[in-house]
């Protein structure tokens, strides 16, 4: 049943999409503000040691909650969780290795190019339509990422190939998270727990291969782990997996583009770091791209757009 509120038609799908967008933006905010904290942590311990501790602790907390919610664990859910975990781990691994050979600005920009790759991969793999809102949003956000991350200049080297692969893994993770979360047989708590488990185990294997001790106490990382485990991992990935049932991967990628904006804002607040003119213009373009993508109609209807009556 259709209804209008001051001339605007309200649907259950649009309400869910707005709620999903807000929660994903909150998630991106937490990722952005914890960027500085994580950067400090991996300057003290090996990055794969930190990732192993972060994701294995998150798994230990999530696993009992997930098992309580499900009566049966299917092979399909296990495979879906494994795929998401491998893609998520690959994103972290390629980004980490890329930073050894190229600048942080190049890596940030190339990782952020997932905003461009998501609609392209989505159209190629799942035949997702690319609406006008997404086209304009990506068109604004991509140069915005370039200006914000690079301050207007880039010099490419072999590490940039790894950064580009990282961006592709991020894009595929977004696409398959949306695809798998919409399967009726997949519980989002279990799906989230499985991917966190895979990231933790692969990080453990990587650290061990590099001769690093994982199960060792680092008291200086206590509060960093508490914040990253509870907020930047459990809350963030549970929200992402749940909310991508109601919002497209392309819109999610545009929202996630705001992470460097939040990171820069927090760096200014906490450490006095200032953005130059290019950075401010880039941040404005990213925000404009996200807003435009929501305001312009896509010409398609969400899978879950069930109309409800709201009288005005």
């Amino acid at each position: 049943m259709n209804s209008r509120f001051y001339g605007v038609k309200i649907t259950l799908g649009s309400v869910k999409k707005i709620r999903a967008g807000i929660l994903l933006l909150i998630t991106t905010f937490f990722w952005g503000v914890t960027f500085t904290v994580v950067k400090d942590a991996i300057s003290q311990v090996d990055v794969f040691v930190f990732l192993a501790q972060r994701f294995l602790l998150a798994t230990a907390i999530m696993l009992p909650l997930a098992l309580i919610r499900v009566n049966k664990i299917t092979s399909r859910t296990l495979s879906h969780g494994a795929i998401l975990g491998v893609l998520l781990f690959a994103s972290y691994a390629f980004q980490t290795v890329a930073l050894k050979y190229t600048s942080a600005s190049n890596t940030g920009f190339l990782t952020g190019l997932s905003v461009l790759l998501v609609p392209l991969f989505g159209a190629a793999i799942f035949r997702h339509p690319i609406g006008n809102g997404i086209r304009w949003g990506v068109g604004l956000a991509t140069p915005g990422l370039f200006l914000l991350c690079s301050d207007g200049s880039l010099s490419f080297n072999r590490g940039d190939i790894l950064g580009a692969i990282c961006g592709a893994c991020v894009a595929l993770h977004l696409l398959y998270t949306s695809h798998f979360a919409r399967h009726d047989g997949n519980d989002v708590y279990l799906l989230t727990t499985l991917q966190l488990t895979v990231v933790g185990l692969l990080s453990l294997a990587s650290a061990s291969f590099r001769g690093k001790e994982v199960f060792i106490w680092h008291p200086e990382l206590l509060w960093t782990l508490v914040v990253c485990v509870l907020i930047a991992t459990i809350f963030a990935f549970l929200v992402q997996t749940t909310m991508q049932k109601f919002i497209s991967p392309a819109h999610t990628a545009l929202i996630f583009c705001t992470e460097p904006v939040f990171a820069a804002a927090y760096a200014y607040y906490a450490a006095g770091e200032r953005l130059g003119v290019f950075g401010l213009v880039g941040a404005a373009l990213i925000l404009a791209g996200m807003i435009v993508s929501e305001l312009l109609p896509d010409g398609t209807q969400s899978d879950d757009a069930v109309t409800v009556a709201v009288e005005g």
Side-chain angles (χ1 to χ4, degrees):
M1 182 170 58
N2 292 331
S3 183
R4 295 179 179 275
F5 182 76
Y6 294 106
V8 178
K9 185 171 70 174
I10 306 296
T11 67
L12 181 58
S14 63
V15 172
K16 287 182 177 180
K17 183 179 177 182
I18 292 171
R19 182 186 65 179
I22 292 172
L23 286 172
L24 287 170
L25 189 63
I26 292 172
T27 297
T28 311
F29 168 79
F30 285 131
W31 278 335
V33 298
T34 56
F35 181 84
T36 303
V37 177
V38 172
K39 185 178 178 181
D40 290 340
I42 61 177
S43 68
Q44 301 176 63
V45 299
D46 181 78
V47 64
F48 289 109
V49 170
F50 177 75
L51 288 175
Q53 292 187 354
R54 169 182 170 180
F55 281 91
L56 289 177
L57 283 171
T59 297
I61 296 172
M62 283 291 295
L63 189 58
L65 299 176
L67 293 178
I68 290 173
R69 289 174 55 91
V70 296
N71 297 320
K72 182 180 179 181
I73 302 176
T74 66
S75 58
R76 185 181 68 176
T77 302
L78 287 174
S79 65
H80 289 175
I83 291 170
L84 292 180
V86 168
L87 289 172
L88 185 57
F89 172 77
S91 302
Y92 282 108
F94 279 112
Q95 185 180 63
T96 300
V97 178
L99 284 170
K100 289 187 175 182
Y101 302 104
T102 190
S103 65
S105 60
N106 282 29
T107 304
F109 171 64
L110 292 167
T111 301
L113 279 183
S114 58
V115 71
L116 176 62
L117 296 176
V118 164
L120 295 178
F121 286 173
I125 299 172
F126 299 109
R127 297 185 178 181
H128 291 166
I130 305 177
N132 288 331
I134 296 300
R135 294 175 192 272
W136 279 98
V138 170
L140 289 168
T142 301
L145 277 168
F146 171 73
L147 293 173
L148 178 61
C149 296
S150 68
D151 203 27
S153 63
L154 283 176
S155 56
F156 292 98
N157 56 50
R158 62 178 180 171
D160 298 312
I161 298 175
L162 300 175
I165 295 174
C166 170
C169 291
V170 171
L172 290 171
H173 181 262
L174 287 174
L175 283 166
Y176 279 100
T177 296
S178 179
H179 184 66
F180 293 152
R182 294 168 190 253
H183 276 266
D184 292 335
N186 285 339
D187 178 81
V188 292
Y189 277 78
L190 181 59
L191 196 61
T192 302
T193 302
L194 288 171
Q195 66 173 316
L196 298 184
T197 303
V198 170
V199 176
L201 292 176
L202 290 176
S203 299
L204 173 62
S206 299
S208 300
F209 179 78
R210 290 156 54 87
K212 305 295 183 179
E213 178 62 46
V214 172
F215 300 105
I216 185 171
W217 174 241
H218 297 282
E220 69 276 14
L221 298 184
L222 173 61
W223 289 111
T224 299
L225 280 173
V226 169
V227 171
C228 287
V229 168
L230 296 180
I231 298 177
T233 304
I234 293 176
F235 172 81
F237 286 107
L238 188 57
V239 167
Q240 180 189 348
T241 306
T242 304
M243 293 302 108
Q244 280 202 251
K245 294 169 66 175
F246 310 115
I247 192 169
S248 74
H251 277 105
T252 304
L254 281 164
I255 292 171
F256 284 175
C257 266
T258 60
E259 181 181 351
V261 178
F262 289 130
Y266 182 76
Y268 170 76
Y269 169 76
E273 296 182 12
R274 294 180 179 273
L275 286 177
V277 175
F278 286 115
L280 291 172
V281 172
L285 285 173
I286 291 171
L287 294 174
M290 188 184 70
I291 295 170
V292 167
S293 72
E294 295 297 327
L295 295 180
L296 286 181
D298 283 339
T300 60
Q301 189 175 21
S302 174
D303 293 341
D304 59 319
V306 180
T307 304
V308 295
V310 179
E311 300 296 341

